[in-house]
Amino acid sequence: MSAEDLQYLLQQTSSLPIDDGVVVLSHLWVKHNWPADGDLIPELEDSLAGDSRATLFVLSTREMDWTPASIEFASRLPYQSRVLDYAQFLRVLEDNRAANADNDDDGGKEEGGQGRDTWKASGGPKEWHEENILPNKMVLIMSLDPWMSAECTMALVGAMAWASSISKRGAEAHIDMITMSSTCQSPSGVQRLSTHFGLSSLATCRLDCIGGHMPPLETYDHVQVDSADEAIQTIRSAIVEAIETEEEGEEEEEEAGKYAVLNFSPDLCVDDLASLTDSAGENLFSIEFWDRSNTLPEQVHGFRNVGTWQHRGKIVHLPSGCTAPLGDVAAAVQGGLLKHVFVVLGERATCVAFDRSIAQLVKAFSVKVSLEERTEQLWWTQLFGGGGDDDTTKVTAYSKYPSAPDFQGDGARQRRLDVQNSHMGAFLALLFFARHTWGIDPIKVAECFISPGVVGEMSHRLVMQGILHASLDVAMCPKQTGYFKAVLPILGFDYQLAYLASLPASSPEVHVTRIQLVALMADGLGENITIDTDGIAVRGEKRSVISTLVDNFSDVVDSVSLGTTIPLLSLSIWKFVYKDYCRCLTRRKGFPFEWYSNPDLAHVSIYAPKVAQVEETFKSLCKDLVTYKALSKMYNVDDCFSLSQDQCRELRRGLLLAYVPQLVYKAIPQDDDPDSERQHEYIVGSGVELHEHLDILGDLMDTDHIRANDGRQYTGFFWLPCGFRHAKDGELLPESMLLPESMVWVPKRMLKEFLEDFMPDTELAWAMTSGLQMEPNPDE
């Protein structure tokens, strides 16, 4: 793209009559790793040199991390260009809401709160640079997260709400909005959103991809294999043969060549490759796991500095859609240090997704990788050369397809967006919070991205949980709402965990214990703690294990609460083992084990690599509680308290409020009923039956106490799973098992009180669902 391209685009929008209140939305197509170059934003800035309006760039946090801290903008008067991330921009929007915007008597407002006086009047450059008052005349360039996270989508909604309102001021307003992403056009939801707010979109704004298009796909070797396992065996053989050839050579190289294995297949087992050792018995490969949204700079720099690798190679597990700013990696491999890159392409990916067939979020949900994501996987093959004569790194890709275009073309039509899946609850809640602040219709805005049936179901759940009133107004107090919004990014926009953390508490002990639990649950209890009962086949013997564990902590938390609230038991166990882990860590000055066990507590292990993450999450949650004056001081992640039965009941009720949409009923066979041949469990809201699950913690629930305390006519009991996952390594098959994660007993008395408080005069089965029909996703 040249400066003339963008200038021409802006000239086209400037020719439109400003008095008509037109805001034009355009789209720029940029390459996947644009932050690596560090010159995109200055290049765009140069393109706007002749425009006297203010320029604002809004980027993701990840892009901000990779963008030079001090971008040298050309001196443009009267406005200096600015760069903000999504969260900073959202705070600016809050600062720009007019003081009288929520006054229903405001004649300047139109239906929905959108009018010329909804937002503060622009003062000029001084107010913009010093007070964050958005100018009436602006070019707003927003980078879109390809996954459309809740934070990105809210920033986009706020920007459009502001722009459409300001445009009603006539000739004093002149706003252009430009989105940019690595896709040739913005997601369909963005286009529907612009229509909803009355923005005028250019038909197709396909500028040349900034930084150049992807090189032809024929510039690397593509090998067809039957499975990912066959690929890894082929890779292993190639590496072993190459190393043996090196060792047999008469002349040794100055430095041995390095190998990289990039894996996009979630089912790939790399044990055979990872177990390779050299003549001294040292492992040839290190293993890394990268995240699609927060790739660490030190990981990326490792590819830029191949000579610093301590092993002959790296095995890097990459989630589908993971890109990284590796712009100068080609320079790093020109010296021949990186000898061969093997890329195992993935046709399916596992994720946290909303399974419409059961109306629940499900972990390890297997989806077909979209065409866009497959293009992003192929993009990695181009980083280590490009097929030219000077390339010294060989690249080989593996898939079950005969060619790269075949692999690319078989992708799903569109990717699963976060706002439609794992971030959906948070997105809906944030829209309702902004209902009056921004003057938007949350339902209509949400339906730009999510199907109406799903929006209706999720809105019903927010009411059922006490986040919204039946009128769909916010039910939480301002302090609770503020904390909820503050911790959402910390918890990966998991609205249930954020709600659990934000619930008011009767005492600091309850509040601290609750956020300790939230920090441990943030990645799943099973990811942080395990109870090893291998070899114990008899259910009664397994329960004796849990009884022993309960006895260890009954002096701190009563045994009934521990035995029937598995997350609370898990937290007690984790804190106990954590203390010993810290002592061991201090003595050894390093920790060689993934799973650490306390010798005095049989069968229990905690996952060492994630201990620091749990610590950091807790500190962040605690710090925000102090900021919102819910706590008077900071606490430690392993602080223990003697909790009374009432305090434990408060913790259980909090879990009920957070996870009630997942309520399960477990029916128990009766001796006098010939029809009750077996026990079975089903989700109350949908009636979907759970298979006999494999969660060992769930198997060890203290059902004897439940039977004795849950009513005279005991035919079953209610409990909460803190999440679901698909079995069979995430395969989405009709016979695949839907497994609950962890368990919390819900006494029938507590459930009755809950219904009276939040869903009065409603039968349980009706309270648990909106009754709306949901069409299946196209990739299901």
Side-chain angles (χ1 to χ4, degrees):
M1 187 198 78
S2 65
E4 290 76 15
D5 291 323
L6 188 55
Q7 289 168 0
Y8 176 77
L9 172 67
L10 293 173
Q11 287 171 5
Q12 300 305 302
T13 65
S14 299
S15 65
L16 297 170
I18 297 176
D19 289 341
D20 290 347
V22 175
V23 178
V24 177
L25 177 67
S26 308
H27 182 71
L28 295 180
W29 180 18
V30 298
K31 63 181 180 180
H32 296 91
N33 64 333
W34 69 260
D37 298 334
D39 59 359
L40 174 60
I41 292 180
E43 182 181 347
L44 293 174
E45 167 70 12
D46 290 342
S47 301
L48 297 165
D51 199 309
S52 62
R53 292 175 292 171
T55 304
L56 174 62
F57 297 91
V58 182
L59 312 178
S60 69
T61 303
R62 176 175 175 270
E63 290 164 343
M64 288 284 283
D65 289 341
W66 288 106
T67 302
S70 56
I71 299 175
E72 294 295 332
F73 286 123
S75 178
R76 285 176 53 207
L77 298 176
Y79 293 99
Q80 184 75 16
S81 298
R82 295 178 62 181
V83 182
L84 302 175
D85 64 25
Y86 298 142
Q88 291 169 334
F89 179 64
L90 287 170
R91 288 194 290 271
V92 167
L93 288 175
E94 290 180 3
D95 293 340
N96 276 262
R97 186 66 175 173
N100 66 342
D102 296 329
N103 185 352
D104 292 336
D105 296 329
D106 179 14
K109 285 200 302 180
E110 298 177 353
E111 183 179 358
Q114 286 299 328
R116 56 180 292 132
D117 299 324
T118 302
W119 302 84
K120 290 179 181 178
S122 172
K126 183 176 184 295
E127 286 78 7
W128 169 224
H129 294 302
E130 297 180 10
E131 302 176 26
N132 289 331
I133 307 302
L134 292 165
N136 289 340
K137 297 183 178 182
M138 172 178 282
V139 179
L140 195 160
I141 302 177
M142 179 176 292
S143 176
L144 297 182
D145 173 5
W147 300 90
M148 295 304 294
S149 66
E151 195 170 44
C152 169
T153 311
M154 285 302 296
L156 185 67
V157 171
M160 289 189 180
W162 169 79
S164 64
S165 179
I166 295 299
S167 67
K168 295 177 174 60
R169 296 177 181 175
E172 65 179 278
H174 184 192
I175 301 168
D176 284 314
M177 280 192 63
I178 302 174
T179 59
M180 65 179 190
S181 72
S182 57
T183 57
C184 61
Q185 62 183 11
S186 57
S188 56
V190 176
Q191 299 169 34
R192 286 189 292 269
L193 188 67
S194 67
T195 301
H196 169 75
F197 282 113
L199 276 62
S200 177
S201 296
L202 291 183
T204 303
C205 180
R206 286 193 64 167
L207 303 177
D208 284 340
C209 183
I210 297 174
H213 292 281
M214 180 186 292
L217 297 177
E218 292 77 15
T219 58
Y220 64 92
D221 293 334
H222 185 277
V223 178
Q224 185 176 13
V225 292
D226 291 333
S227 66
D229 288 336
E230 181 184 342
I232 209 68
Q233 292 302 324
T234 305
I235 294 169
R236 185 184 191 279
S237 299
I239 293 174
V240 169
E241 181 179 351
I243 292 177
E244 288 176 349
T245 301
E246 289 176 8
E247 293 175 347
E248 292 173 359
E250 296 181 0
E251 297 182 2
E252 293 187 4
E253 299 181 16
E254 292 184 5
E255 187 168 353
K258 306 289 186 178
Y259 300 89
V261 179
L262 308 181
N263 170 46
F264 289 97
S265 175
D267 301 327
L268 182 66
C269 177
V270 298
D271 289 349
D272 285 347
L273 183 59
S275 62
L276 286 177
T277 59
D278 59 17
S279 56
E282 298 292 332
N283 288 331
L284 290 176
F285 283 88
S286 62
I287 301 178
E288 293 181 0
F289 294 85
W290 288 22
D291 184 275
R292 69 172 166 87
S293 59
N294 293 304
T295 308
L296 299 176
E298 55 265 30
Q299 293 176 326
V300 174
H301 289 315
F303 268 105
R304 294 177 176 175
N305 300 283
V306 179
T308 64
W309 290 10
Q310 296 181 359
H311 298 80
R312 284 296 301 272
K314 285 181 183 287
I315 301 171
V316 183
H317 293 280
L318 296 156
S320 184
C322 178
T323 58
L326 291 167
D328 59 352
V329 71
V333 303
Q334 289 304 313
L337 292 179
L338 191 55
K339 189 171 185 178
H340 201 149
V341 176
F342 304 90
V343 183
V344 182
L345 303 172
E347 60 180 300
R348 300 193 70 85
T350 56
C351 61
V352 180
F354 188 77
D355 185 347
R356 296 188 191 181
S357 66
I358 63 170
Q360 296 290 343
L361 276 177
V362 179
K363 296 179 181 178
F365 191 91
S366 178
V367 296
K368 190 174 185 179
V369 174
S370 68
L371 185 150
E372 286 181 7
E373 294 167 85
R374 294 183 184 213
T375 302
E376 290 164 354
Q377 290 184 33
L378 292 171
W379 168 82
W380 283 87
T381 65
Q382 309 304 308
L383 289 175
F384 306 95
D389 296 336
D390 295 332
D391 295 334
T392 56
T393 299
K394 184 177 181 180
V395 179
T396 306
Y398 299 82
S399 78
K400 74 171 189 178
Y401 298 86
S403 68
D406 291 320
F407 165 76
Q408 191 176 19
D410 194 37
R413 184 168 55 89
Q414 55 188 347
R415 76 172 80 209
R416 289 262 185 153
L417 301 181
D418 287 343
V419 291
Q420 299 166 344
N421 295 281
S422 57
H423 292 192
M424 180 167 56
F427 177 53
L428 260 292
L430 291 171
L431 286 177
F432 281 106
F433 295 163
R435 181 183 187 180
H436 299 297
T437 309
W438 290 352
I440 60 174
D441 184 327
I443 299 295
K444 290 182 179 178
V445 170
E447 288 178 351
C448 292
F449 297 92
I450 309 167
S451 70
V454 178
V455 171
E457 175 66 26
M458 287 303 301
S459 301
H460 174 81
R461 294 181 183 185
L462 295 177
V463 172
M464 178 172 57
Q465 292 171 283
I467 296 174
L468 302 177
H469 291 301
S471 63
L472 300 184
D473 288 323
V474 179
M476 299 191 296
C477 69
K479 181 186 291 187
Q480 185 184 1
T481 302
Y483 183 75
F484 176 91
K485 292 163 64 176
V487 302
L488 272 174
I490 300 170
L491 299 171
F493 289 90
D494 184 325
Y495 90 99
Q496 290 176 296
L497 283 178
Y499 184 46
L500 179 61
S502 67
L503 288 171
S506 62
S507 66
E509 292 81 6
V510 171
H511 227 150
V512 173
T513 302
R514 186 183 286 151
I515 62 172
Q516 287 173 339
L517 184 58
V518 168
L520 191 62
M521 294 171 65
D523 275 328
L525 286 175
E527 302 295 327
N528 286 303
I529 183 171
T530 182
I531 296 180
D532 182 12
T533 56
D534 288 346
I536 304 178
V538 181
R539 192 183 186 105
E541 292 181 6
K542 289 183 179 180
R543 285 200 176 148
S544 67
V545 172
I546 207 80
S547 298
T548 302
L549 293 173
V550 167
D551 289 342
N552 273 278
F553 304 102
S554 58
D555 58 333
V556 178
V557 181
D558 73 280
S559 59
V560 171
S561 297
L562 287 175
T564 59
T565 313
I566 298 304
L568 190 56
L569 174 63
S570 301
L571 175 63
S572 300
I573 295 171
W574 188 89
K575 287 194 289 188
F576 179 83
V577 180
Y578 169 83
K579 290 179 183 294
D580 188 67
Y581 162 83
C582 291
R583 289 191 292 268
C584 182
L585 191 65
T586 302
R587 290 195 304 269
R588 297 186 182 210
K589 301 187 184 304
F591 212 78
F593 308 112
E594 281 195 326
W595 289 92
Y596 175 72
S597 300
N598 184 303
D600 299 326
L601 201 60
H603 306 293
V604 174
S605 302
I606 66 172
Y607 190 53
K610 288 193 175 180
V611 166
Q613 186 173 330
V614 174
E615 293 171 329
E616 188 60 34
T617 300
F618 172 79
K619 287 178 183 177
S620 298
L621 295 173
C622 194
K623 181 180 179 181
D624 282 334
L625 279 178
V626 173
T627 300
Y628 282 89
K629 297 184 176 9
L631 288 176
S632 60
K633 64 175 184 177
M634 292 290 290
Y635 289 81
N636 298 316
V637 70
D638 59 338
D639 284 340
C640 294
F641 310 98
S642 295
L643 301 177
S644 66
Q645 287 191 3
D646 286 343
Q647 289 174 320
C648 291
R649 187 177 186 277
E650 185 178 354
L651 289 169
R652 189 191 304 273
R653 180 176 170 82
L655 288 164
L656 172 61
L657 291 176
Y659 293 100
V660 67
Q662 293 150 213
L663 187 70
V664 169
Y665 183 71
K666 184 181 184 75
I668 305 297
Q670 304 298 303
D671 295 337
D672 57 351
D673 184 358
D675 294 330
S676 61
E677 298 177 357
R678 64 181 181 86
Q679 63 181 13
H680 65 281
E681 298 168 282
Y682 61 90
I683 303 171
V684 176
S686 62
V688 173
E689 187 164 334
L690 304 180
H691 293 261
E692 184 67 18
H693 55 83
L694 307 177
D695 181 0
I696 185 62
L697 291 178
D699 280 343
L700 304 177
M701 282 278 281
D702 186 359
T703 51
D704 293 335
H705 172 83
I706 295 173
R707 182 186 295 271
N709 291 272
D710 212 9
R712 294 181 179 178
Q713 296 181 340
Y714 180 76
T715 57
F717 63 92
F718 293 96
W719 61 274
L720 293 169
C722 298
F724 293 101
R725 70 166 56 243
H726 275 299
K728 294 190 176 182
D729 296 326
E731 290 184 23
L732 185 58
L733 301 172
E735 66 272 23
S736 67
M737 298 165 61
L738 182 65
L739 308 181
E741 291 192 317
S742 193
M743 301 182 73
V744 179
W745 169 51
V746 181
K748 292 177 181 176
R749 181 175 63 256
M750 180 178 288
L751 188 58
K752 181 181 178 181
E753 293 171 356
F754 161 79
L755 288 173
E756 291 173 351
D757 289 343
F758 294 99
M759 307 292 289
D761 304 320
T762 307
E763 293 291 334
L764 177 63
W766 288 106
M768 292 295 110
T769 179
S770 65
L772 296 172
Q773 295 296 315
M774 289 178 280
E775 294 293 326
N777 284 309
D779 57 354
E780 288 181 3

